[in-house]
Amino acid sequence: MELQPEARQQRLIHNQPKPEHNIGLGTVIFTWLKGDAIISEGHTWVPGISAYVKTYKVRHNGMGTIHVSVFKWIPLGGYVTMTVMPNMTTYNFYGEHFKRDYIHSYEVAGHSFKVLVAHYDSWLNFGGWWEQEVKFNAGYGRHGIITVGMTEWPILDSLLERIGVKGKLTKAGKRLLDFVSDGSGDALADTIGLLLSGLNIDAAIFTEV
């Protein structure tokens, strides 16, 4: 019996939960947090768009992982994810189909953050996942994590320029960094409207206590 695309996808991406929401367009990216540091989880609606993001309460200095899954309804070759997160301590990286290209820390306009770039170039699968081990030591309070998926490297370079890593910080880039720093829903809505409209994205918010 021939498997339908969704069934084939489920066989290829083992033990991954079905996406619960989709902020971006096209390919579905799902970002969530796992590990002993997680105290509770929920969700919050993003103002101005018909989607919600996962929210977490985590133990300050606790250990956990950032997990990103990519689900593609049609197999395409080549895909890149860029994740911007607070400047937490990071450890091992694991992935199925995905490989980490780099993870770097930056200081831009008073914001301290990390950028993790991972990619895969397989033509034979409907997605994949990666995990990055972290210590939740961004500081007490609320923070955001945002993942952007794309098929072309020039888009990545353009985003890095606009958040001040490879060029001059723009207004839209500043709103993205505001979201990473304080987990503001308004900042996320502005980021989507000004910078990420039409791209494949997902976000998560966590509060260290």
Side-chain angles (χ1 to χ4, degrees):
M1 181 177 67
E2 182 180 358
L3 293 174
Q4 296 301 309
E6 183 174 355
R8 290 199 300 269
Q9 170 187 294
Q10 290 172 350
R11 287 185 60 181
L12 289 163
I13 306 177
H14 304 293
N15 301 319
Q16 300 306 301
K18 183 178 180 181
E20 299 177 14
H21 62 286
N22 184 17
I23 298 177
L25 302 174
T27 301
V28 177
I29 298 175
F30 189 41
T31 304
W32 70 97
L33 306 182
K34 302 164 56 178
D36 294 338
I38 307 302
I39 298 171
S40 63
E41 63 179 79
H43 65 269
T44 184
W45 292 100
V46 181
I49 65 173
S50 57
Y52 67 86
V53 300
K54 297 283 284 185
T55 60
Y56 299 86
K57 183 182 291 184
V58 305
R59 293 182 179 86
H60 177 64
N61 283 332
M63 300 298 296
T65 60
I66 299 170
H67 186 113
V68 172
S69 285
V70 175
F71 298 81
K72 298 163 67 175
W73 309 121
I74 300 174
L76 298 173
Y79 200 78
V80 184
T81 62
M82 179 188 81
T83 299
V84 186
M85 67 186 79
N87 195 16
M88 300 177 285
T89 304
T90 54
Y91 301 93
N92 296 318
F93 176 94
Y94 307 95
E96 182 172 327
H97 302 307
F98 274 92
K99 295 181 180 180
R100 189 175 73 185
D101 289 274
Y102 62 83
I103 182 168
H104 294 316
S105 298
Y106 299 98
E107 291 275 352
V108 175
H111 295 280
S112 180
F113 60 97
K114 273 187 166 71
V115 174
L116 187 160
V117 174
H119 86 284
Y120 76 88
D121 53 11
S122 171
W123 288 87
L124 302 176
N125 66 79
F126 286 81
W129 58 266
W130 59 257
E131 286 188 352
Q132 174 64 58
E133 294 180 341
V134 300
K135 177 186 286 188
F136 291 103
N137 56 0
Y140 289 103
R142 187 169 160 121
H143 308 280
I145 299 169
I146 191 162
T147 298
V148 185
M150 61 210 84
T151 56
E152 300 178 15
W153 287 90
I155 298 175
L156 171 66
D157 289 335
S158 175
L159 292 174
L160 292 174
E161 288 177 1
R162 299 181 73 179
I163 64 173
V165 170
K166 290 188 174 182
K168 183 178 180 180
L169 178 66
T170 66
K171 177 182 178 181
K174 183 180 184 304
R175 293 304 279 161
L176 187 152
L177 298 183
D178 287 341
F179 169 70
V180 171
S181 292
D182 62 21
S184 163
D186 289 336
L188 178 58
D190 288 346
T191 298
I192 294 169
L194 295 171
L195 184 61
L196 304 178
S197 177
L199 293 177
N200 305 319
I201 67 171
D202 194 34
I205 295 170
F206 68 93
T207 302
E208 289 186 24
V209 297

